[in-house]
Each structure stands twice: as C-alpha cells, then as structure tokens.
Amino acid sequence: MGPPLLLACLLAPLCARGASPALPGAAAPQAWRQHEAPRRVKRAWVIPPISVSENHKRIPHLLVQIKSDKQQPGGVVYSIKGPGVDEEPLGIFSIDKFSGKVFLNAMLDREENDRYRLRAFALDLGGVTLEDPTDLEIIVVDQNDNRPLFRQDVFTGRVVEGAEPGTCVMTVDATDADDPDTDNAALRYSILEQGAAGMFSINATTGEICTARPGLDRETMGVYNLTVQAADMSGDGLTTTAMAVIYLEDINDNPPEFTKEEFSMEVEEQAAGVDVGKVFVHDKDLAGSPSWLAKFTILEGDPEGAFAIRTDPHTNDGVLSVVKPLDHEVRDRFELTVSVQNERPLEPSAPASPRALATVRVRVRDVNEAPEFRENPRRISVLEGTPPGTPITTYTASDPDTHQIQTLSYALLYDPADWLQLDPHSGTVRTKRELLHPSAFLQGGWYIALVLARDDAEPPLSATGTLSIEILEVNDHAPQLQPPAGVLCGRPGRGGTLLLGATDDDRPPHGAPFHFQLSPQHPQLARNWSIARFNVTHAVLAVLAELPEGPYSLPLLLRDSGTPPREQQQLLNVSVCHCGRDGTCLDGALAAATAGAGITLGALMIILGSTILLLVLAGLGAARVRGRRRALRKGLLQRSRDDMRDNILNYDEQGGGEEDQDAYDINQLRHPELFTPRAKPPLRRDAPLSSGTPMAPRKLPSSPSDIEDFINEGLEAADSDPSVPPYDTALIYDYEGSGSVASPLSSIVSSLTDEDQDYDYLSEWGPRFRRLADLYGH
C-alpha cells in the first residue's frame, strides 16, 4: 500500500493588482489596484483525480483536502455529493465541512466499482455559493484478489482413434475478475495429469488441447481423463483446475470373427418362416456402431434358396431361418457355408485379415404331413337336370409321407343343397338328386362343395379341397307370352297396334332374342293381322283391315334362341274396341280392359270372377227389394192405420209444408174406384195461378195394385208440363231455410224407379219419419 496522496486545491489570482484582501499579506500599492480594477477575472478551483487502492484496511483514511480563497479560513462551509456519499452505496466517503478534508470510511472493491465521481461545493456561512461546483474523481487501484475460474468443471471432447499428432480435440478456457490490463488477469494453462502415455498437449495461452503422439487405440483405451490448470500473473499467481474428458471414436479397424468353425442345427420338415438357430461372432469394435454391425452371407449348400440368415441387432449374431418348406423325403440334411463381414468396410490403416467363414449343418426331421389335393380347386361341368346317381368326378388327395404307410379317407365337408354323395374310400362324387335352375345354392351358375381328406396317422391330419361344379344350362323352357291379353283399336294405322312381350326361365344363351309369328296352322290370320319385331324380347301386333269390335283369340307361335330352340303355341286374347280420332278406345269397358292389360292371366281371372260375383249379389238384392215392395203395395192401404197426411201435417213444425197438405187428395189412393176416367182431376194448389191443366188427363187406376202405375203416369204428366212445377216442388221446401240437413222429398229424385230408391235414411230424421222408412224400406 502506498502512502496516501494529499492534493491541495489553491485558488490562483488571474491578476496581481486588485486581488482580494482575503489572502493574508496580499497588500499592494493603491495605484496598482486602481489600474487593475476594471479587469476583474473569475477565478476557479480544480481538483485532480485521486487514486486509492482497493481493500485499504486503515479506515478512516484521508484522501484529500479542498480549499477556497474566497473567504477567510473558518468562513467557508464545504460539502460533497454523489455515489458513496448520498447515493448508493452510502457512507463510503465523508468531508469535514469546515476544513475541507475528504475521508475514506470503508474498504473498496474494484470488481464492484473501479471509480467514483463526486461533486464538491463551497458556501459561506450564510449559504451563499462561493465557488462553482467542481468534480472530484476517486480511482480504485486493482489488487490480485481474484482466482481464475474455468467456465466448466468438466470439458468433453472426442477424437477418432488413430488420429495423427497435432489433431486438436477441444479448448478449455477460464476467466479472472481482476483488471484485464494488469498481470492480475494474465492467465496461463497447463496439463497437470493425463497418465503415463502423454498423448495430449495444451496451448498455454489459448487452452487448446491437441494430440501429441500417435497410437490412439480405442480398443486399448477408449477414454482419457486430463486435469488442466489455469494460473494468473502469467502463471505465477493464483491457480484453479478442471477436468478434460476425451473419448476416442471407433473406426472399423477390427473385422468380425466366428466364435467357432462349425455349427449344428435341426428343423422339422414343412416348417416355413421359422428360425433354425444362431451362429455366434465377435467384433472388437464399439458395440452398436456401424463398425461393429455384422453382415452374413450363405455362400454354398442352398441352391434352392430354402434358408436365409439375418443379423440380430442386439447381439450381432447370425440367425438362420427357413423360408421355404423342407421335405424330409426329398432331402434330410444340409451343409451350409456362411461368411461374415462388417456392414462398413475396414479402414485402410487396419491390418489385412482373411474372410471369416463357418460351416452350418442342418438336419431335417421327419413329421406327419397333411394330405394334399394336387388340383385345388377342382372345376368340372355338369348338365342341368343330371339324374341322381350319375358319377361326375373322382376327387382324391395324396399323402406326402412316402416313408410311412397311411390310408386316406374322404368326406363331404360342405354340400349346401345336399346334392352330392361321396365314396369315402375312392373319392368318387355322384349326384344325389336333380339340381335345376334357378337355385339359391348357385353362385353365377356354379355350385361350390368342400371335400375333406384325412390320413390315419397319430395325430391324424386333414386337408380340404374345393369342388366347383358348373351347372350347364339346358334349354328346357319355351318362352311365355307376357301379357297374354291386350286391347287395340280395330282400325289400321290409327291405334291398331299392340306391344307383345315374352319371358323365358332359361338363362342365356337359351333365352332372347325371341321370335313371334302367327300360327302357321291358321294361315287366314295373315289377312287381318301382322307381327313385326320390336326388339329382342318384344314384337308389335297390328291390324291389316278394319275389324268389328269384340274379342279375338289369336294363336301365336313363340320360339327362343336356345340350342336346340324351344317353341310353343299360345293364345293371345285381343279385345278390339271402337277407335277415336286419336287412336284410343272410346268404349269405357274396353278402356278399362286396356288399363289392366299388363296384369297376369290369373289376376285377370280373379277380377272377372269377383265382378261376376258382385253382379249376382246385386241381382239377388234387387229381386229381394222388388218382392218386398210388391207385397207392400198389395197391403199398404189395408195395413196402414195412420193417415199419411199426418206425417206431412207435422212437417210444418220445421217451417214450411202447409201448402202441400191438400195438394193431393189421398182418398184417390185409398178408394180409386170412386173416381171415373172422365172425372175432372182436382186442382193443384201448389201450381201458379197462371198455370194450365196437364197436357193429358190422368187416368185413375182400376185396382189398388195399379197405384204405382197411376202415380208414375201422374208424375210423368206433371213433369212434362214446363209451366207447372211438381207437387212437392222445392218452391215450398225452400221455406225451411238454407241450413237444413234433411234431404228434400222432391219428385226430381222420386222420378227414378222404385228399385233405385233407398229410404233407410228416413229413419235418421227422427220418430216421425221412421214410419215412412218402415213402409218404403226393406
């Protein structure tokens, strides 16, 4: 530590004359002060930098004393401000405010702050500034108080084995917190320990580690641990150490070798895709590296390629496997020559060595083998409709075990239609019953069956053979006319055509195209009819001459295209209708028949039968109603004790009807013999005043049984007069209002015949009309 440096600050006058009397002994002649007075110059105080060593232990320590010449001593107040005083870190520096002495109060650390900049102030006792503030700089001088530090505790590097001397591996580096411009931070590197070989060296200035000698061999030593040192003061100061770990990377300088020259293995025959055994190798290179991985090759003894060899990635051994089934009866042992080498080629620097070879002997064990169907599937063809018991094929298997005496037996494993029978010893297949088209058991015309062959070894083995039987189509069906009936107009060129179609149960090529023609046995048909082909399944029937309306039966001959062709004569029922202008039928019945021409003959017969049955039932019902009404007319007036007018008299309760109470004299119905034909008919009260008498007089009936004729004649006479409305005209009933739900009793409806009337609805009008319903109903 050097002595403290004390710097005094002096206030220097700019001019000698006119100086302030504050300095003692500064008297001057008056004339000089008068001459210099107009040239007053401002004086300043300057403080040079102050140096102090870090870690100074004598505290407090006087750094400097500052002074101002503006006042007499004791009349100036001094102060300082800045870091270390009133700013962080606080309390490091202080000043005596009257003497101006600046003191160091704490130890300094250059690594934290290498300098401090303060401001110094000079004031009089009244607080007036005497001098402008000036800078006070304190410089911290460095000491070697920090040890070098490596950036890592352990440095790792790699170098390939056999590297040439001077091959750099890695660089170690350290730092020093001391002043880098001094020797306190000047570092030097060295290797303290690396083993007896001395394979590496280090650059003392940069810390770079390189190989120093040849002969690095991973198989001898794979890892080197070096202890390195860093020292400051250019190697004479403080020191620190670290570890440098160097790994040698493997190169392929060692070929793989078999652990022995011969290997023996055993495998069952007919085994494929199974491992037989392993051949073991050894490689000095790094396990798992490309220089260590082995590659095996079968050089001799496997001309058929029945074996394969691969590398086990975990053990590097060779795994021999069978890729094709072996047959003990053909060959029972193999002798293979196998070689091994690395996947990566050897380095040129590696010593030369012969190729590693080994002999592998494989024995094939005999086992029971399943029978084999040489032809699988077996495809045969059988005619449709082949009779039962017909042999169709013999389907047998063979036993590969030629060194063993075995017997095979056969059975049907799958016969969905139960169509076949199989001889269990010979394998002969026969038909069990007839199989015809169409069948749900046929797939595209093929019948599929499965045959099982089993040997008698222990344990027994079996094989399955597929028997595919093609059912050949036979033309055993003639085409059918569809539909067998139709309707057309009987006028040539105007709707006189009918589209005919046909179907055939046979499959192609025994079906379409179909041939339509008029029966050759009836040549007269060609005068009125013709048939022309429309497409392969349809033809067009046309009339050649205008025909009268009515049904016609045309015998047609239909033929298919099978080999040989099948033909059949069929009747076509044609209804000739009356033609309209657009060629359509005008007759409603024929039009309805036309609409149903597309239905089948059975459906048409059902419809016709239902229609006839309905007509018979309707006729029976009408006859029953007519018989009841005739009996009713004979005893109507005798059995009825109530006056029919009573019912009509009560009708006025609903409003209206009074005008009709006397419109007709009911006595004419009860006693027609009292009235003569010449008698003047009564006047109608419901007729307008301007209306005249009927065009023809009404003739009274001669007996009660003719009441119906009498009434009908009277109604006809009234209806034929255009100026007179009917007796029970709507002119009276409209008084009921528009909301009545009752049906009108108008002669418009009664003009129909008795058989068309249904009076049951009168019973729904209430008890007053139920009598009418009983009289005129069932």
Side-chain angles (χ1 to χ4, degrees):
M1 299 290 294
L5 181 62
L6 179 63
L7 298 178
C9 296
L10 302 177
L11 187 61
L14 297 176
C15 298
R17 203 171 77 178
S20 174
L23 295 176
Q30 184 70 24
W32 182 84
R33 292 196 303 270
Q34 293 177 355
H35 177 75
E36 292 295 325
R39 298 178 61 228
R40 295 179 60 187
V41 179
K42 180 179 181 180
R43 290 171 292 179
W45 54 333
V46 179
I47 306 173
I50 302 168
S51 297
V52 61
S53 176
E54 64 173 334
N55 302 319
H56 191 82
K57 298 180 179 180
R58 292 195 296 270
I59 302 299
H61 173 66
L62 178 62
L63 295 178
V64 69
Q65 183 178 8
I66 60 176
K67 293 183 179 181
S68 174
D69 62 349
K70 291 296 185 72
Q71 293 291 344
Q72 294 296 326
V76 181
V77 177
Y78 299 97
S79 64
I80 57 176
K81 293 183 179 180
V85 181
D86 58 349
E87 299 178 10
E88 292 292 338
L90 302 175
I92 295 179
F93 304 101
S94 64
I95 188 173
D96 188 324
K97 64 180 178 179
F98 296 110
S99 65
K101 293 181 179 181
V102 179
F103 295 94
L104 174 65
N105 300 321
M107 292 178 62
L108 299 178
D109 187 358
R110 192 204 66 82
E111 285 70 39
E112 293 183 2
N113 289 300
D114 60 349
R115 65 186 60 233
Y116 295 88
R117 297 181 184 275
L118 306 179
R119 299 280 286 175
F121 301 89
L123 306 174
D124 62 10
L125 298 177
V128 178
T129 302
L130 297 178
E131 301 284 354
D132 291 336
T134 186
D135 292 334
L136 177 59
E137 184 176 11
I138 301 173
I139 300 174
V140 182
V141 179
D142 183 46
Q143 289 185 341
N144 190 17
D145 59 346
N146 289 281
R147 188 179 300 275
L149 295 177
F150 280 102
R151 298 183 184 274
Q152 300 173 213
D153 294 334
V154 178
F155 294 88
T156 302
R158 295 181 178 276
V159 64
V160 295
E161 61 176 331
E164 296 293 332
T167 303
C168 293
V169 181
M170 70 175 80
T171 298
V172 297
D173 57 338
T175 60
D176 196 316
D178 291 326
D179 189 354
D181 296 330
T182 66
D183 284 346
N184 297 335
L187 303 181
R188 295 295 181 268
Y189 300 95
S190 61
I191 298 176
L192 299 181
E193 184 180 355
Q194 62 170 323
M199 303 298 295
F200 298 94
S201 63
I202 190 169
N203 188 307
T205 303
T206 62
E208 188 175 28
I209 300 176
C210 302
T211 58
R213 298 173 58 184
L216 291 174
D217 187 3
R218 190 204 65 82
E219 287 74 32
T220 303
M221 180 174 290
V223 181
Y224 287 84
N225 296 313
L226 282 63
T227 302
V228 295
Q229 174 184 278
D232 59 11
M233 300 296 290
S234 298
D236 298 330
L238 303 176
T239 62
T240 187
T241 60
M243 292 295 297
V245 181
I246 300 176
Y247 294 94
L248 297 188
E249 292 184 347
D250 185 45
I251 62 174
N252 192 15
D253 56 349
N254 294 281
E257 298 177 353
F258 286 104
T259 59
K260 56 183 181 179
E261 295 181 355
E262 294 184 1
F263 298 89
S264 297
M265 303 176 187
E266 192 175 82
V267 65
E268 292 183 352
E269 67 171 334
Q270 302 302 326
V274 298
D275 294 338
V276 181
K278 285 187 176 183
V279 291
F280 302 99
V281 297
H282 173 69
D283 196 319
K284 297 179 182 180
D285 292 322
L286 180 62
S289 67
S291 301
W292 174 79
L293 291 176
K295 179 176 63 175
F296 297 88
T297 306
I298 300 177
L299 299 179
E300 298 176 0
D302 185 24
E304 302 296 332
F307 296 92
I309 190 168
R310 68 182 187 277
T311 303
D312 188 331
H314 303 289
T315 64
N316 210 32
D317 298 322
V319 181
L320 185 68
S321 61
V322 178
V323 295
K324 294 182 179 179
L326 303 177
D327 192 346
H328 172 81
E329 286 73 23
V330 176
R331 186 174 181 180
D332 61 351
R333 61 186 64 246
F334 292 82
E335 186 173 299
L336 310 177
T337 300
V338 180
S339 69
V340 63
Q341 60 186 13
N342 289 128
E343 290 188 354
R344 176 179 291 183
L346 288 174
E347 294 291 331
S349 59
S353 62
R355 190 173 187 179
L357 300 176
T359 300
V360 181
R361 292 184 173 89
V362 181
R363 176 178 172 270
V364 181
R365 290 200 312 268
D366 187 22
V367 296
N368 183 32
E369 301 173 64
E372 294 180 356
F373 285 95
R374 301 301 181 185
E375 184 182 357
N376 197 5
R378 166 74 65 85
R379 291 181 173 87
I380 60 174
S381 299
V382 177
L383 291 177
E384 176 190 11
T386 299
T390 303
I392 58 176
T393 187
T394 298
Y395 196 24
T396 59
S398 61
D399 194 336
D401 296 313
T402 58
H403 295 174
Q404 302 178 22
I405 301 176
Q406 297 178 357
T407 303
L408 301 183
S409 59
Y410 303 93
L412 281 173
L413 184 63
Y414 179 70
D415 183 16
D418 192 23
W419 181 49
L420 304 174
Q421 56 184 2
L422 176 65
D423 189 310
H425 304 291
S426 64
T428 301
V429 181
R430 300 175 182 270
T431 58
K432 188 175 182 179
R433 58 186 180 84
E434 186 177 357
L435 183 65
L436 300 175
H437 279 295
S439 174
F441 303 103
L442 297 181
Q443 302 176 7
W446 289 81
Y447 182 80
I448 307 299
L450 299 180
V451 177
L452 182 70
R454 183 189 299 268
D455 61 22
D456 56 355
E458 186 63 35
L461 296 179
S462 61
T464 301
T466 301
L467 183 60
S468 299
I469 305 174
E470 182 184 15
I471 308 301
L472 298 179
E473 181 75 22
V474 177
N475 190 17
D476 53 354
H477 295 88
Q480 296 288 332
L481 188 65
Q482 186 67 24
V487 178
L488 54 75
C489 294
R491 184 177 301 173
R494 186 177 295 178
T497 60
L498 177 63
L499 183 63
L500 305 178
T503 59
D504 197 325
D505 292 337
D506 293 319
R507 296 188 304 117
H510 301 301
F514 301 122
H515 179 70
F516 299 79
Q517 69 176 104
L518 297 171
S519 175
Q521 301 175 3
H522 304 276
Q524 69 277 7
L525 297 176
R527 294 195 299 267
N528 298 325
W529 307 89
S530 68
I531 295 180
R533 180 175 178 177
F534 183 75
N535 55 26
V536 296
T537 57
H538 291 75
V540 176
L541 175 69
V543 295
L544 300 178
E546 187 168 355
L547 300 176
E549 302 176 16
Y552 294 84
S553 293
L554 303 180
L556 301 183
L557 183 64
L558 274 70
R559 184 172 64 252
D560 59 22
S561 299
T563 304
R566 296 294 296 268
E567 63 182 13
Q568 180 179 353
Q569 182 169 300
Q570 304 174 51
L571 284 180
L572 173 65
N573 296 318
V574 180
S575 296
V576 177
C577 65
H578 182 67
C579 296
R581 293 183 179 181
D582 55 353
T584 59
C585 292
L586 297 180
D587 190 342
L590 291 179
T594 303
I599 61 177
T600 62
L601 179 60
L604 182 61
M605 297 301 295
I606 293 175
I607 295 175
L608 293 177
S610 301
T611 304
I612 295 174
L613 179 61
L614 292 176
L615 292 177
V616 172
L617 294 177
L620 294 175
R624 180 182 178 185
V625 172
R626 186 175 183 86
R628 285 178 176 240
R629 290 183 176 175
R630 286 182 178 178
L632 178 63
R633 284 196 296 268
K634 292 179 180 180
L636 177 62
L637 298 180
Q638 290 80 2
R639 288 186 290 107
S640 177
R641 297 181 180 180
D642 297 332
D643 194 348
M644 293 176 59
R645 292 174 56 87
D646 294 341
N647 295 331
I648 302 176
L649 288 173
N650 293 330
Y651 191 79
D652 62 347
E653 293 177 3
Q654 300 180 8
E658 292 84 354
E659 295 294 333
D660 197 36
Q661 294 174 6
D662 299 327
Y664 196 89
D665 190 358
I666 198 64
N667 290 326
Q668 295 186 28
L669 298 177
R670 294 176 175 173
H671 306 285
E673 66 278 2
L674 300 178
F675 298 91
T676 61
R678 292 189 179 93
K680 184 178 180 180
L683 295 177
R684 291 177 51 180
R685 299 182 182 180
D686 60 341
L689 298 177
S690 59
S691 62
T693 60
M695 298 175 60
R698 298 185 180 180
K699 192 173 182 180
L700 296 178
S702 57
S703 64
S705 62
D706 296 330
I707 293 178
E708 180 181 2
D709 296 336
F710 173 77
I711 294 176
N712 289 335
E713 291 176 1
L715 290 176
E716 183 178 1
D719 292 338
S720 62
D721 190 351
S723 60
V724 178
Y727 291 127
D728 49 355
T729 179
L731 294 175
I732 298 175
Y733 286 101
D734 62 358
Y735 294 150
E736 297 175 4
S738 61
S740 174
V741 297
S743 300
L745 301 176
S746 173
S747 63
I748 298 175
V749 179
S750 64
S751 63
L752 300 175
T753 61
D754 292 341
E755 289 79 6
D756 296 333
Q757 296 299 315
D758 185 6
Y759 297 97
D760 293 339
Y761 66 92
L762 296 177
S763 61
E764 298 176 2
W765 292 5
R768 299 180 181 274
F769 292 88
R770 190 171 293 112
R771 173 63 64 181
L772 289 177
D774 294 337
L775 294 176
Y776 291 91
H778 296 293

